[in-house]
């Protein structure tokens, strides 16, 4: 069974500053992917970034980057130069073959102007 | 390019009733997954449909059933509704490779309230 844990229920960041969201996971699979999804209030869940477990290089998408520590089963998300539009729930998710996504409980990000 | 669409957006039912939710996948996708998201929690996998058959199922009772049509659209049916079924129901579509790397794209969800 796969599990995903997000230990921070809520994080607050000043506009233009950097915030890091934590995620740990457990899986017995050797081939898997990790994802961060963003869910704005009352809006659609969208993909932020994904990481292939077999790649050592950390994924980056514009202001979003991850720190993937495979041995520690850790997958944190860093949001740089935070903007008001980054305010949302962020979910970490794990997917092995078979297409089932396993989500963590989410971290709410508040951005202060 | 149309994304994943779901209907209705909101629904109110009473205990014991039955409900049907609908999903149309993103253009080019033929695999549909359903998730239940209770308030303040992460989504939980219900089941996935591919080639009109249920390919994988999560830990949900048989009251939850589904269907996929030849045009790849899908329905989620819930019978004998309980108060605890109140949640946001999310549909996600993906390509059919079955590999771990296929990204799932989500619809806006249907918010179900059971009274």
């Amino acid at each position: 069974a796969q599990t995903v844990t997000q230990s921070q229920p809520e994080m607050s960041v000043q506009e233009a500053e950097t915030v890091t969201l934590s995620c740990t996971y457990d899986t017995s699979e050797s081939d898997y992917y990790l994802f961060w999804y963003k869910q704005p209030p009352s809006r659609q869940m969208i993909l932020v970034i994904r990481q292939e477990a077999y790649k050592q290089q950390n994924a980056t998408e514009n202001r979003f980057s991850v720190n993937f520590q495979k041995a520690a089963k850790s997958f944190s998300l860093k949001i740089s130069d935070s903007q008001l539009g980054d305010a949302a729930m962020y979910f970490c998710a794990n997917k092995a073959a078979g297409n089932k996504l396993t989500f963590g409980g989410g971290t709410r990000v508040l951005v202060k102007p | 390019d149309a994304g994943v669409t779901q209907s209705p957006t909101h629904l109110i039912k009473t205990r014991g009733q039955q409900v049907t939710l609908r999903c149309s996948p993103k253009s080019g996708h033929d695999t549909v997954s359903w998730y239940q998201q209770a308030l303040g929690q992460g989504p939980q996998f219900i089941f996935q449909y591919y080639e009109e058959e249920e390919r994988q199922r999560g830990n949900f009772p048989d009251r939850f059933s589904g269907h996929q049509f030849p045009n790849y659209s899908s329905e989620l049916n819930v019978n004998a509704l309980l108060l605890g079924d109140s949640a946001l129901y999310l549909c996600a579509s993906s390509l059919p490779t079955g590999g771990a790397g296929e990204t799932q794209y989500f619809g806006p969800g249907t918010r179900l309230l059971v009274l």
Side-chain angles (χ1 to χ4, degrees):
Chain A
Q2 299 182 99
T3 61
V4 178
T5 302
Q6 295 179 247
S7 59
Q8 305 153 316
E10 186 174 285
M11 294 288 284
S12 183
V13 60
Q14 204 72 32
E15 197 175 5
E17 297 292 308
T18 296
V19 64
T20 299
L21 311 184
S22 300
C23 172
T24 58
Y25 64 93
D26 192 16
T27 181
S28 58
E29 302 287 341
S30 57
D31 178 25
Y32 59 91
Y33 284 68
L34 297 163
F35 302 81
W36 280 98
Y37 281 90
K38 170 186 178 182
Q39 189 177 40
S42 301
R43 291 184 63 185
Q44 204 152 332
M45 187 172 302
I46 58 173
L47 177 69
V48 175
I49 198 167
R50 56 177 258 170
Q51 172 79 42
E52 295 88 338
Y54 63 85
K55 285 189 177 180
Q56 291 187 341
Q57 185 174 5
N58 290 321
T60 298
E61 287 288 342
N62 301 314
R63 298 182 294 106
F64 298 87
S65 61
V66 298
N67 183 3
F68 175 45
Q69 301 291 328
K70 190 172 184 178
K73 295 184 176 177
S74 171
F75 183 60
S76 62
L77 174 70
K78 185 171 77 172
I79 307 174
S80 303
D81 185 25
S82 296
Q83 301 176 359
L84 295 178
D86 294 333
M89 285 292 292
Y90 287 80
F91 292 97
C92 177
N94 183 4
K95 185 158 77 73
N99 278 311
K100 169 188 171 182
L101 274 167
T102 300
F103 286 89
T107 296
R108 182 179 304 279
V109 171
L110 305 173
V111 182
K112 298 180 179 179
Chain B
D1 179 21
V4 180
T5 60
Q6 293 186 243
S7 64
T9 56
H10 296 82
L11 205 51
I12 300 175
K13 292 286 187 179
T14 56
R15 282 177 296 175
Q17 285 189 312
Q18 178 264 346
V19 68
T20 297
L21 311 181
R22 296 176 177 81
C23 170
S24 292
K26 182 178 169 64
S27 178
H29 289 183
D30 59 8
T31 300
V32 173
S33 302
W34 287 92
Y35 295 83
Q36 180 194 65
Q37 186 178 16
L39 196 61
Q41 298 182 23
Q44 298 289 318
F45 176 75
I46 303 175
F47 43 54
Q48 183 186 81
Y49 276 83
Y50 170 64
E51 291 189 341
E52 303 180 48
E53 291 191 359
E54 184 181 289
R55 179 157 70 175
Q56 190 178 14
R57 188 179 183 91
N59 295 325
F60 279 80
D62 293 344
R63 299 187 297 109
F64 290 77
S65 64
H67 188 76
Q68 185 177 36
F69 299 93
N71 67 352
Y72 310 127
S73 66
S74 177
E75 288 182 348
L76 164 65
N77 300 293
V78 187
N79 294 322
L81 284 167
L82 303 174
L83 296 180
D85 295 331
S86 296
L88 180 68
Y89 288 85
L90 297 169
C91 170
S93 73
S94 57
L95 293 170
T97 64
E102 277 312 326
T103 296
Q104 294 191 3
Y105 295 85
F106 284 83
T110 293
R111 189 164 294 282
L112 172 65
L113 177 61
V114 182
L115 301 177

